[in-house]
Amino acid sequence: MAISEEKSRQIQDERRRQILDAALRLFDEQGYSNTKISDISEMAGISKGLVYRYFRSKEEIFFALRDKLDDCIDECFSVPSALEAIRLFSLRLLSYPYYNEYVPPLRVYFSVLVRGEIRLDTEENPIRENFGREYFGALFQRGQEQGVFKDGDSRLFGDMYWKYLLGCLATICQPGRKMEYRPDVDEVLELFRK
């Protein structure tokens, strides 16, 4: 009996998710350059040939992770409390090994870009210069409206906080560095609180 088109699509979506989940974890734990397609297929529990059926290269897998990154950014932003949205984003990004088993796609992007393993145009780069001013600036503004954060330039607050996060990332994403890290983001966020 042939499977329906819908069932076939579900299977394809599940396989793609398996590959991307495995790649994300391996890129974070081993680094992009040290991860082979065979590592990804092994962790995903599928054949190497099947990986190539869905993705032509390891680089294509890396770029497909952008959807996971966008989902993370949107999910954190949708948290009603600005303070909790910032905390969730920060803990997911900085906790090592993982915060609630969440593998942070932004950390993977950051480490790959900082190590120069892949080049991205400015438009494709999720950690472009104005990310802090735009993303965190909007959250700080929401927090000001909620009465949580001090008055002031919310975009500047966002930029300062983003640069703090980048500094932490630079520390934990050094090649070969395997350490447990649980950031105290509340201590830093206290600087912005009323």
Side-chain angles (χ1 to χ4, degrees), residues 81-149:
S81 161
L83 178 63
E84 289 308 310
I86 294 170
R87 285 186 82 253
L88 177 62
F89 185 99
S90 304
L91 291 171
R92 281 181 167 183
L93 180 65
L94 299 178
S95 294
Y96 195 85
Y98 300 112
Y99 178 74
N100 292 340
E101 297 302 310
Y102 185 82
V103 183
L106 185 59
R107 184 166 70 210
V108 170
Y109 262 81
F110 178 84
S111 62
V112 168
L113 294 173
V114 166
R115 293 176 187 154
E117 295 171 312
I118 289 183
R119 297 263 181 241
L120 289 179
D121 293 334
T122 304
E123 293 301 315
E124 296 173 326
N125 188 345
I127 52 176
R128 61 197 177 280
E129 182 64 31
N130 59 352
F131 180 79
R133 288 184 174 275
E134 292 174 2
Y135 183 76
F136 287 107
L139 286 171
F140 276 105
Q141 182 176 359
R142 187 190 324 162
Q144 288 168 333
E145 293 164 1
Q146 293 171 345
V148 176
F149 295 124

Side-chain angles (χ1 to χ4, degrees), residues 3 16 40 43 76 128 130 138 174:
I3 61 174
R16 185 175 166 80
I40 295 169
M43 181 173 267
C76 291
R128 61 197 177 280
N130 59 352
Q174 294 175 29

Side-chain angles (χ1 to χ4, degrees), residues 11-79:
I11 292 169
Q12 289 175 357
D13 290 346
E14 176 61 21
R15 289 287 183 253
R16 185 175 166 80
R17 186 196 59 73
Q18 283 177 273
I19 294 165
L20 293 175
D21 287 350
L24 184 63
R25 185 171 288 269
L26 288 167
F27 292 163
D28 190 50
E29 293 174 357
Q30 298 178 182
Y32 175 82
S33 294
N34 294 329
T35 300
K36 299 183 280 237
I37 294 287
S38 58
D39 299 328
I40 295 169
S41 70
E42 185 177 320
M43 181 173 267
I46 58 178
S47 72
K48 187 176 171 182
L50 192 54
V51 172
Y52 281 113
R53 181 174 176 202
Y54 289 90
F55 299 97
R56 291 182 304 236
S57 66
K58 184 170 69 166
E59 187 174 84
E60 189 175 306
I61 293 171
F62 175 78
F63 287 120
L65 292 173
R66 181 62 193 253
D67 290 341
K68 286 185 173 292
L69 174 60
D70 293 340
D71 291 345
C72 173
I73 289 169
D74 293 344
E75 183 182 330
C76 291
F77 197 83
S78 71
V79 172

Side-chain angles (χ1 to χ4, degrees), residues 28 91 93-99 101 107 168 171-173 176-184:
D28 190 50
L91 291 171
L93 180 65
L94 299 178
S95 294
Y96 195 85
Y98 300 112
Y99 178 74
E101 297 302 310
R107 184 166 70 210
C168 292
T171 300
I172 63 174
C173 288
R177 186 175 176 111
K178 296 287 182 214
M179 63 178 230
E180 198 159 307
Y181 185 65
R182 301 278 180 229
D184 187 357

